[in-house]
Amino acid sequence: MKKNYCFVLSLFLFGTMLSSCEKSGNYQEFDRNEIYKHLSSVNVRDAKMIYTKEGTNTRSGESGTFGGVWKIDQNGNESKLIITGSDGKTNVLNIYEINKLSDNVLLMYPDFFDTKRIREEWEKAHNDDPADFAISVGPDGKPILHGADTYYAMLLNKETEKLYRFPENVSTPDKNDNISTDKQGNIYYKGHLKGNQVLKLSPETMTIEALLPDDIRFDNFSVTGDGFVVYWNGNEQQFNCRVKCLGGKIYPITDTYTFIFSGDLYSVRDNTIIKYETVGINDLKEKIICTIPEDNNYWAFAPNYVRNTVVINGNLEFDGEQCVKLDKYVNIGNIRTSKAWYILNNTMFSKTTMKDYQESQFQVSEYEIQSLSANSESSNIAFTGFRYSDGTNVVGTITESDEVVINSIADNGNKIINLISLN
């Protein structure tokens, strides 16, 4: 096995980087800081949810134009997210996409239309023979004027509203990827750096660290509260897991299934649950915790944030010390908040509360729900859709008590997409 390495990249605050233009004859290379000076901060601190608006109503099949990224604040007011540059200018660049990495860190991309425009203007002002920028074309043959410019990826601190440059040679997290955090708030994601990697982003120092040796092949991972990385092949967290300790040691686990509960690592061995206690920063110690009331060939684990337990296979409950059989099967829906699990079928929600596992149903009959946003930090479900009575596009919230609250109504029939609930 190759020796592990630690690769750290500083993420510099926009506005602090200065570089000189490279000249070749009468031609000057574009200075990336012409973009960076427009990327300093974003008015996101008070945002409750953020979303993208399309410029036209797209239910008719029209492609629509980009209408920017908007927020709803804690008081229910809607406003557009604005980038302020280190030069004090605003509205020079539009935000195209924002993804949530943690409660306090967001990943942001500017609109390609704006970065392309700035580059073209700079070329015309500085060169006798400006560069010719090709316009991307979509499947329908029409020009693509808007999109996420991933070349200028940024990290946004929600509390300070500061923007930080993402290093060019490290892959960014995908919004559909598994994003994990530890007790210190560090962010972990699967990326690429000399092959597959688990990358650790520290919000305190804004650095990225690669945690695994070179050329490791794995399909997924999880992380303990202390930052020990568990990785494995296959879709499920099972056979032949490996644990990367903080000190660098790789610890193999051959039990069938592993899971993390309250930040600690456990495994299922035959009909017992094993806990792996950390010894310093470079080793693990096994401890038999309890016996499982029944044998199974397949195991599924769902955290219960209210009871501080984990539901196993829908009919067992583990509290860290004992595993008991529940009186009835618990329906674990794929929509998960901090208080309940939900399943949506057409207009009907099936709900199972985490407090007492009671089941109920309710219907959202006045709105066509087009997208949902839910997470373990909030008891609410945010949604976008349109109102049946007049076709108006809306942003709404389904509360813990099953009440539907409309937070915003879009102007001019603009469709609302890419909804992210921040709390």
Side-chain angles (χ1 to χ4, degrees):
M1 180 175 292
K2 293 186 178 181
K3 184 179 180 181
N4 188 30
Y5 65 91
C6 177
F7 187 82
V8 179
L9 292 170
S10 295
L11 304 181
F12 296 103
L13 183 64
F14 288 124
T16 62
M17 298 180 57
L18 296 174
S19 63
S20 60
C21 301
E22 295 181 5
K23 298 181 179 180
S24 176
N26 294 324
Y27 184 77
Q28 291 180 261
E29 290 289 338
F30 177 71
D31 183 358
R32 289 170 60 89
N33 287 294
E34 290 298 316
I35 299 293
Y36 299 150
K37 71 182 183 182
H38 300 298
L39 307 173
S40 182
S41 64
V42 176
N43 58 328
V44 74
R45 185 184 294 114
D46 60 348
K48 181 179 179 180
M49 60 180 71
I50 55 179
Y51 47 84
T52 303
K53 286 186 179 181
E54 291 188 351
T56 58
N57 192 322
T58 59
R59 290 201 301 277
S60 63
E62 298 176 45
S63 61
T65 58
F66 176 61
V69 179
W70 295 69
K71 70 176 180 179
I72 294 178
D73 64 24
Q74 304 299 327
N75 297 319
N77 301 314
E78 183 190 55
S79 59
K80 191 173 182 180
L81 284 182
I82 301 295
I83 298 176
T84 299
S86 58
D87 54 5
K89 294 182 179 179
T90 60
N91 296 316
V92 179
L93 280 164
N94 279 301
I95 302 166
Y96 188 85
E97 181 179 325
I98 291 183
N99 299 318
K100 180 179 178 180
L101 301 184
S102 71
D103 288 346
N104 200 39
V105 179
L106 307 174
L107 176 67
M108 195 183 86
Y109 302 105
D111 187 7
F112 168 77
F113 176 84
D114 292 319
T115 57
K116 178 176 179 291
R117 171 181 50 79
I118 291 172
R119 291 192 66 179
E120 289 178 335
E121 291 173 354
W122 189 94
E123 285 281 346
K124 291 177 181 178
H126 290 79
N127 294 305
D128 296 332
D129 185 18
D132 183 18
F133 294 96
I135 298 177
S136 300
V137 178
D140 57 358
K142 296 181 179 179
I144 301 174
L145 299 179
H146 297 276
D149 194 341
T150 57
Y151 190 60
Y152 295 101
M154 294 160 281
L155 292 168
L156 173 57
N157 184 308
K158 184 174 181 291
E159 292 303 314
T160 65
E161 300 186 333
K162 299 290 186 181
L163 279 168
Y164 298 83
R165 176 183 177 181
F166 206 96
E168 295 93 12
N169 56 344
V170 181
S171 62
T172 57
D174 187 271
K175 59 184 176 182
N176 298 316
D177 285 347
N178 169 31
I179 306 293
S180 299
T181 56
D182 60 21
K183 292 178 181 178
Q184 289 73 42
N186 296 306
I187 299 165
Y188 300 78
Y189 68 98
K190 183 180 178 182
H192 299 279
L193 183 66
K194 299 182 179 179
N196 287 342
Q197 265 293 345
V198 173
L199 298 171
K200 173 185 174 183
L201 166 63
S202 169
E204 292 294 327
T205 60
M206 282 300 177
T207 58
I208 291 180
E209 179 182 356
L211 300 178
L212 301 184
D214 291 349
D215 303 324
I216 290 290
R217 294 186 178 183
F218 66 99
D219 294 312
N220 215 330
F221 79 98
S222 60
V223 62
T224 70
D226 293 330
F228 285 60
V229 177
V230 188
Y231 59 97
W232 62 91
N233 291 320
N235 295 325
E236 303 293 337
Q237 189 170 335
Q238 50 180 309
F239 307 105
N240 296 321
C241 284
R242 300 290 184 265
V243 182
K244 167 66 182 338
C245 301
L246 288 178
K249 181 179 178 180
I250 306 293
Y251 190 100
I253 296 179
T254 58
D255 295 338
T256 24
Y257 279 82
T258 61
F259 64 96
I260 291 176
F261 168 63
S262 292
D264 295 319
L265 177 63
Y266 296 84
S267 72
V268 175
R269 183 179 300 166
D270 298 324
N271 66 335
T272 61
I273 292 180
I274 310 295
K275 182 179 181 179
Y276 295 86
E277 298 179 337
T278 58
V279 180
I281 61 171
N282 218 28
D283 213 342
L284 298 172
K285 179 182 178 182
E286 297 182 13
K287 179 183 178 181
I288 296 177
I289 298 298
C290 64
T291 300
I292 302 175
E294 62 182 37
D295 292 327
N296 286 287
N297 294 322
Y298 175 82
W299 302 96
F301 309 91
N304 184 323
Y305 305 111
V306 175
R307 296 162 68 104
N308 194 27
T309 61
V310 60
V311 178
I312 304 176
N313 287 8
N315 66 331
L316 301 169
E317 187 172 37
F318 177 62
D319 65 1
E321 295 182 358
Q322 60 179 347
C323 185
V324 298
K325 193 166 185 176
L326 296 170
D327 295 334
K328 63 176 183 179
Y329 182 81
V330 178
N331 287 310
I332 308 295
N334 61 338
I335 304 169
R336 184 174 303 176
T337 70
S338 63
K339 297 294 181 65
W341 297 284
Y342 299 81
I343 298 173
L344 175 59
N345 186 10
N346 293 323
T347 61
M348 185 68 68
F349 280 88
S350 298
K351 175 182 178 181
T352 303
T353 60
M354 294 182 181
K355 180 181 179 180
D356 52 15
Y357 300 131
Q358 293 298 308
E359 297 182 14
S360 61
Q361 289 187 324
F362 63 93
Q363 192 171 21
V364 178
S365 57
E366 298 179 356
Y367 304 93
E368 176 79 21
I369 294 178
Q370 296 177 304
S371 66
L372 291 172
S373 177
N375 58 68
S376 60
E377 289 87 39
S378 173
S379 60
N380 299 327
I381 299 174
F383 72 90
T384 67
F386 61 89
R387 190 164 52 199
Y388 286 125
S389 61
D390 56 9
T392 300
N393 289 289
V394 300
V395 176
T397 298
I398 300 172
T399 69
E400 182 184 354
S401 59
D402 307 337
E403 180 186 6
V404 177
V405 178
I406 299 303
N407 304 105
S408 177
I409 298 175
D411 296 330
N412 303 319
N414 295 345
K415 184 178 179 181
I416 301 168
I417 58 176
N418 299 332
L419 175 68
I420 299 176
S421 178
L422 297 180
N423 56 34

mmCIF file of all heavy atoms in Angstrom, residues 367-392:
data_model
loop_
_atom_site.group_PDB
_atom_site.id
_atom_site.type_symbol
_atom_site.label_atom_id
_atom_site.label_comp_id
_atom_site.label_asym_id
_atom_site.label_seq_id
_atom_site.Cartn_x
_atom_site.Cartn_y
_atom_site.Cartn_z
ATOM 1 N N TYR A 367 -52.318 22.497 -4.644
ATOM 2 C CA TYR A 367 -51.064 22.837 -5.318
ATOM 3 C C TYR A 367 -50.476 21.618 -6.009
ATOM 4 O O TYR A 367 -50.589 20.490 -5.520
ATOM 5 C CB TYR A 367 -50.046 23.389 -4.314
ATOM 6 C CG TYR A 367 -50.548 24.583 -3.538
ATOM 7 C CD1 TYR A 367 -51.162 24.422 -2.302
ATOM 8 C CD2 TYR A 367 -50.424 25.870 -4.060
ATOM 9 C CE1 TYR A 367 -51.637 25.505 -1.591
ATOM 10 C CE2 TYR A 367 -50.902 26.967 -3.354
ATOM 11 C CZ TYR A 367 -51.516 26.781 -2.122
ATOM 12 O OH TYR A 367 -51.991 27.858 -1.425
ATOM 13 N N GLU A 368 -49.849 21.850 -7.140
ATOM 14 C CA GLU A 368 -49.059 20.832 -7.826
ATOM 15 C C GLU A 368 -47.618 20.967 -7.325
ATOM 16 O O GLU A 368 -46.941 21.959 -7.610
ATOM 17 C CB GLU A 368 -49.093 21.038 -9.337
ATOM 18 C CG GLU A 368 -48.223 20.082 -10.122
ATOM 19 C CD GLU A 368 -48.870 18.715 -10.299
ATOM 20 O OE1 GLU A 368 -50.108 18.616 -10.183
ATOM 21 O OE2 GLU A 368 -48.128 17.753 -10.567
ATOM 22 N N ILE A 369 -47.170 19.983 -6.548
ATOM 23 C CA ILE A 369 -45.810 20.030 -6.013
ATOM 24 C C ILE A 369 -44.845 19.523 -7.072
ATOM 25 O O ILE A 369 -44.980 18.408 -7.578
ATOM 26 C CB ILE A 369 -45.710 19.188 -4.724
ATOM 27 C CG1 ILE A 369 -46.556 19.830 -3.620
ATOM 28 C CG2 ILE A 369 -44.252 19.064 -4.277
ATOM 29 C CD1 ILE A 369 -46.568 19.050 -2.326
ATOM 30 N N GLN A 370 -43.841 20.348 -7.397
ATOM 31 C CA GLN A 370 -42.881 19.989 -8.447
ATOM 32 C C GLN A 370 -41.515 19.616 -7.892
ATOM 33 O O GLN A 370 -40.777 18.871 -8.517
ATOM 34 C CB GLN A 370 -42.759 21.151 -9.440
ATOM 35 C CG GLN A 370 -44.062 21.435 -10.179
ATOM 36 C CD GLN A 370 -43.963 22.632 -11.100
ATOM 37 O OE1 GLN A 370 -43.618 23.729 -10.677
ATOM 38 N NE2 GLN A 370 -44.268 22.436 -12.371
ATOM 39 N N SER A 371 -41.137 20.176 -6.746
ATOM 40 C CA SER A 371 -39.869 19.802 -6.122
ATOM 41 C C SER A 371 -39.987 19.975 -4.613
ATOM 42 O O SER A 371 -40.760 20.815 -4.125
ATOM 43 C CB SER A 371 -38.708 20.645 -6.665
ATOM 44 O OG SER A 371 -38.865 22.009 -6.297
ATOM 45 N N LEU A 372 -39.202 19.168 -3.870
ATOM 46 C CA LEU A 372 -39.213 19.190 -2.416
ATOM 47 C C LEU A 372 -37.803 19.395 -1.886
ATOM 48 O O LEU A 372 -36.826 18.990 -2.515
ATOM 49 C CB LEU A 372 -39.760 17.880 -1.853
ATOM 50 C CG LEU A 372 -41.242 17.559 -2.047
ATOM 51 C CD1 LEU A 372 -41.517 16.137 -1.601
ATOM 52 C CD2 LEU A 372 -42.105 18.531 -1.276
ATOM 53 N N SER A 373 -37.699 19.989 -0.704
ATOM 54 C CA SER A 373 -36.420 20.122 -0.024
ATOM 55 C C SER A 373 -36.659 19.853 1.463
ATOM 56 O O SER A 373 -37.460 20.539 2.103
ATOM 57 C CB SER A 373 -35.826 21.522 -0.219
ATOM 58 O OG SER A 373 -34.616 21.664 0.503
ATOM 59 N N ALA A 374 -35.983 18.822 2.007
ATOM 60 C CA ALA A 374 -36.123 18.473 3.415
ATOM 61 C C ALA A 374 -34.772 18.022 3.942
ATOM 62 O O ALA A 374 -33.956 17.455 3.202
ATOM 63 C CB ALA A 374 -37.159 17.360 3.598
ATOM 64 N N ASN A 375 -34.520 18.261 5.222
ATOM 65 C CA ASN A 375 -33.272 17.834 5.827
ATOM 66 C C ASN A 375 -33.460 17.633 7.321
ATOM 67 O O ASN A 375 -34.502 18.009 7.881
ATOM 68 C CB ASN A 375 -32.147 18.832 5.544
ATOM 69 C CG ASN A 375 -32.482 20.224 6.036
ATOM 70 O OD1 ASN A 375 -32.568 20.470 7.246
ATOM 71 N ND2 ASN A 375 -32.686 21.163 5.104
ATOM 72 N N SER A 376 -32.460 17.047 7.962
ATOM 73 C CA SER A 376 -32.550 16.679 9.378
ATOM 74 C C SER A 376 -32.395 17.869 10.312
ATOM 75 O O SER A 376 -32.515 17.719 11.526
ATOM 76 C CB SER A 376 -31.485 15.626 9.711
ATOM 77 O OG SER A 376 -30.183 16.132 9.458
ATOM 78 N N GLU A 377 -32.130 19.073 9.786
ATOM 79 C CA GLU A 377 -31.996 20.258 10.628
ATOM 80 C C GLU A 377 -33.309 21.001 10.811
ATOM 81 O O GLU A 377 -33.397 21.925 11.612
ATOM 82 C CB GLU A 377 -30.961 21.233 10.042
ATOM 83 C CG GLU A 377 -29.528 20.769 10.134
ATOM 84 C CD GLU A 377 -29.131 19.914 8.956
ATOM 85 O OE1 GLU A 377 -29.548 20.228 7.832
ATOM 86 O OE2 GLU A 377 -28.427 18.904 9.170
ATOM 87 N N SER A 378 -34.347 20.625 10.058
ATOM 88 C CA SER A 378 -35.611 21.352 10.113
ATOM 89 C C SER A 378 -36.780 20.383 10.198
ATOM 90 O O SER A 378 -36.737 19.280 9.632
ATOM 91 C CB SER A 378 -35.773 22.238 8.873
ATOM 92 O OG SER A 378 -37.058 22.830 8.835
ATOM 93 N N SER A 379 -37.833 20.801 10.878
ATOM 94 C CA SER A 379 -39.040 19.976 10.960
ATOM 95 C C SER A 379 -39.988 20.249 9.805
ATOM 96 O O SER A 379 -41.026 19.588 9.687
ATOM 97 C CB SER A 379 -39.763 20.248 12.291
ATOM 98 O OG SER A 379 -40.139 21.614 12.390
ATOM 99 N N ASN A 380 -39.654 21.191 8.947
ATOM 100 C CA ASN A 380 -40.519 21.575 7.831
ATOM 101 C C ASN A 380 -40.036 20.985 6.510
ATOM 102 O O ASN A 380 -38.865 20.647 6.348
ATOM 103 C CB ASN A 380 -40.576 23.096 7.697
ATOM 104 C CG ASN A 380 -41.137 23.765 8.924
ATOM 105 O OD1 ASN A 380 -41.998 23.219 9.608
ATOM 106 N ND2 ASN A 380 -40.648 24.964 9.213
ATOM 107 N N ILE A 381 -40.972 20.911 5.564
ATOM 108 C CA ILE A 381 -40.662 20.544 4.182
ATOM 109 C C ILE A 381 -40.909 21.773 3.314
ATOM 110 O O ILE A 381 -41.995 22.363 3.357
ATOM 111 C CB ILE A 381 -41.545 19.381 3.685
ATOM 112 C CG1 ILE A 381 -41.327 18.124 4.529
ATOM 113 C CG2 ILE A 381 -41.268 19.086 2.207
ATOM 114 C CD1 ILE A 381 -42.283 17.001 4.182
ATOM 115 N N ALA A 382 -39.908 22.181 2.557
ATOM 116 C CA ALA A 382 -40.085 23.274 1.610
ATOM 117 C C ALA A 382 -40.424 22.694 0.240
ATOM 118 O O ALA A 382 -39.960 21.611 -0.119
ATOM 119 C CB ALA A 382 -38.817 24.119 1.530
ATOM 120 N N PHE A 383 -41.250 23.403 -0.520
ATOM 121 C CA PHE A 383 -41.616 22.881 -1.846
ATOM 122 C C PHE A 383 -41.822 24.020 -2.835
ATOM 123 O O PHE A 383 -42.081 25.164 -2.459
ATOM 124 C CB PHE A 383 -42.875 22.014 -1.766
ATOM 125 C CG PHE A 383 -44.164 22.772 -1.535
ATOM 126 C CD1 PHE A 383 -44.921 23.247 -2.603
ATOM 127 C CD2 PHE A 383 -44.621 23.014 -0.247
ATOM 128 C CE1 PHE A 383 -46.101 23.944 -2.389
ATOM 129 C CE2 PHE A 383 -45.800 23.719 -0.024
ATOM 130 C CZ PHE A 383 -46.544 24.185 -1.100
ATOM 131 N N THR A 384 -41.682 23.684 -4.101
ATOM 132 C CA THR A 384 -42.049 24.587 -5.190
ATOM 133 C C THR A 384 -43.130 23.913 -6.018
ATOM 134 O O THR A 384 -43.225 22.685 -6.067
ATOM 135 C CB THR A 384 -40.855 24.933 -6.096
ATOM 136 O OG1 THR A 384 -40.445 23.741 -6.799
ATOM 137 C CG2 THR A 384 -39.689 25.463 -5.292
ATOM 138 N N GLY A 385 -43.944 24.712 -6.670
ATOM 139 C CA GLY A 385 -45.004 24.165 -7.503
ATOM 140 C C GLY A 385 -45.889 25.283 -8.010
ATOM 141 O O GLY A 385 -45.480 26.441 -8.084
ATOM 142 N N PHE A 386 -47.117 24.942 -8.377
ATOM 143 C CA PHE A 386 -48.050 25.976 -8.819
ATOM 144 C C PHE A 386 -49.440 25.705 -8.247
ATOM 145 O O PHE A 386 -49.790 24.580 -7.887
ATOM 146 C CB PHE A 386 -48.088 26.100 -10.348
ATOM 147 C CG PHE A 386 -48.524 24.859 -11.064
ATOM 148 C CD1 PHE A 386 -49.865 24.626 -11.329
ATOM 149 C CD2 PHE A 386 -47.598 23.929 -11.494
ATOM 150 C CE1 PHE A 386 -50.275 23.483 -11.995
ATOM 151 C CE2 PHE A 386 -47.991 22.780 -12.174
ATOM 152 C CZ PHE A 386 -49.331 22.555 -12.420
ATOM 153 N N ARG A 387 -50.188 26.771 -8.132
ATOM 154 C CA ARG A 387 -51.532 26.727 -7.556
ATOM 155 C C ARG A 387 -52.533 26.349 -8.641
ATOM 156 O O ARG A 387 -52.552 26.938 -9.725
ATOM 157 C CB ARG A 387 -51.861 28.092 -6.956
ATOM 158 C CG ARG A 387 -53.120 28.146 -6.124
ATOM 159 C CD ARG A 387 -53.130 29.394 -5.278
ATOM 160 N NE ARG A 387 -52.880 30.605 -6.056
ATOM 161 C CZ ARG A 387 -52.483 31.760 -5.525
ATOM 162 N NH1 ARG A 387 -52.258 31.844 -4.215
ATOM 163 N NH2 ARG A 387 -52.285 32.817 -6.290
ATOM 164 N N TYR A 388 -53.370 25.356 -8.342
ATOM 165 C CA TYR A 388 -54.329 24.888 -9.335
ATOM 166 C C TYR A 388 -55.337 25.970 -9.722
ATOM 167 O O TYR A 388 -55.772 26.040 -10.878
ATOM 168 C CB TYR A 388 -55.095 23.672 -8.796
ATOM 169 C CG TYR A 388 -54.287 22.404 -8.767
ATOM 170 C CD1 TYR A 388 -54.154 21.677 -7.590
ATOM 171 C CD2 TYR A 388 -53.674 21.913 -9.913
ATOM 172 C CE1 TYR A 388 -53.427 20.507 -7.557
ATOM 173 C CE2 TYR A 388 -52.933 20.742 -9.898
ATOM 174 C CZ TYR A 388 -52.810 20.037 -8.701
ATOM 175 O OH TYR A 388 -52.092 18.888 -8.672
ATOM 176 N N SER A 389 -55.725 26.823 -8.791
ATOM 177 C CA SER A 389 -56.803 27.779 -9.044
ATOM 178 C C SER A 389 -56.471 28.796 -10.122
ATOM 179 O O SER A 389 -57.357 29.243 -10.861
ATOM 180 C CB SER A 389 -57.177 28.514 -7.744
ATOM 181 O OG SER A 389 -56.070 29.238 -7.247
ATOM 182 N N ASP A 390 -55.184 29.186 -10.237
ATOM 183 C CA ASP A 390 -54.822 30.191 -11.236
ATOM 184 C C ASP A 390 -53.500 29.908 -11.943
ATOM 185 O O ASP A 390 -53.055 30.717 -12.766
ATOM 186 C CB ASP A 390 -54.768 31.578 -10.594
ATOM 187 C CG ASP A 390 -53.812 31.641 -9.405
ATOM 188 O OD1 ASP A 390 -53.077 30.663 -9.182
ATOM 189 O OD2 ASP A 390 -53.800 32.671 -8.713
ATOM 190 N N GLY A 391 -52.843 28.775 -11.622
ATOM 191 C CA GLY A 391 -51.589 28.427 -12.293
ATOM 192 C C GLY A 391 -50.390 29.205 -11.828
ATOM 193 O O GLY A 391 -49.308 29.099 -12.423
ATOM 194 N N THR A 392 -50.523 29.983 -10.745
ATOM 195 C CA THR A 392 -49.418 30.796 -10.254
ATOM 196 C C THR A 392 -48.351 29.919 -9.605
ATOM 197 O O THR A 392 -48.657 29.026 -8.807
ATOM 198 C CB THR A 392 -49.925 31.819 -9.214
ATOM 199 O OG1 THR A 392 -50.888 32.660 -9.834
ATOM 200 C CG2 THR A 392 -48.775 32.659 -8.682
#
